[in-house]
Amino acid sequence: MKLLRFAGSAKSDLSAFPGRARIRAGYELFMVQAGREPSDWKPMPTVGPGAAEIRVRDETGAYRVIYVARFADAVYVLHAFQKKSQKTAHADLMVAAQRYRDIKAALEKD
């Protein structure tokens, strides 16, 4: 099973999700760690190769967790946020993309 690592504020952002959404997102991330697909996800090629988005919905709204599992050492959670509109905000995509680039650069340096 792969380790789970968080980039930037992703861990505290995920912790701020309402209870049911947080538990669901945690379970879906566990499935990714175990090498399985989450129940509701989509690829996020604009963030980077291998990036994907877990989609969680509850009575308080829609929540998203963007992660990448393509690196051998861990599953990296890039960004976690509440979705406010139909389309993912450009700022959220840019946060995830920058964190992806930072992780990739750090892994290449090692």
Side-chain angles (χ1 to χ4, degrees):
M1 181 175 299
K2 286 186 175 186
L3 294 174
L4 188 63
R5 297 185 191 262
F6 293 87
S9 63
K11 187 172 187 176
S12 61
D13 295 339
L14 180 59
S15 295
F17 282 13
R20 289 181 193 209
R22 184 178 62 248
I23 290 168
R24 187 70 199 171
Y27 175 76
E28 298 296 348
L29 285 169
F30 171 76
M31 297 305 282
V32 173
Q33 282 182 273
R36 298 177 61 191
E37 289 184 354
S39 60
D40 188 4
W41 69 281
K42 73 174 191 174
M44 299 294 287
T46 57
V47 171
E53 174 184 74
I54 294 172
R55 301 184 284 199
V56 176
R57 178 174 288 284
D58 77 354
E59 61 277 354
T60 63
Y63 299 87
R64 302 294 187 258
V65 178
I66 299 176
Y67 70 93
V68 61
R70 74 180 283 253
F71 302 120
D73 66 324
V75 173
Y76 290 91
V77 179
L78 303 173
H79 192 34
F81 58 98
Q82 182 174 11
K83 194 162 178 187
K84 304 282 187 182
S85 65
Q86 189 81 343
K87 186 175 179 184
T88 301
H90 181 72
D92 288 316
L93 293 173
M94 292 300 97
V95 166
Q98 183 59 55
R99 290 176 179 170
Y100 183 101
R101 287 190 298 273
D102 293 345
I103 290 165
K104 187 175 178 196
L107 291 173
E108 288 173 351
K109 191 177 2 176
D110 288 344

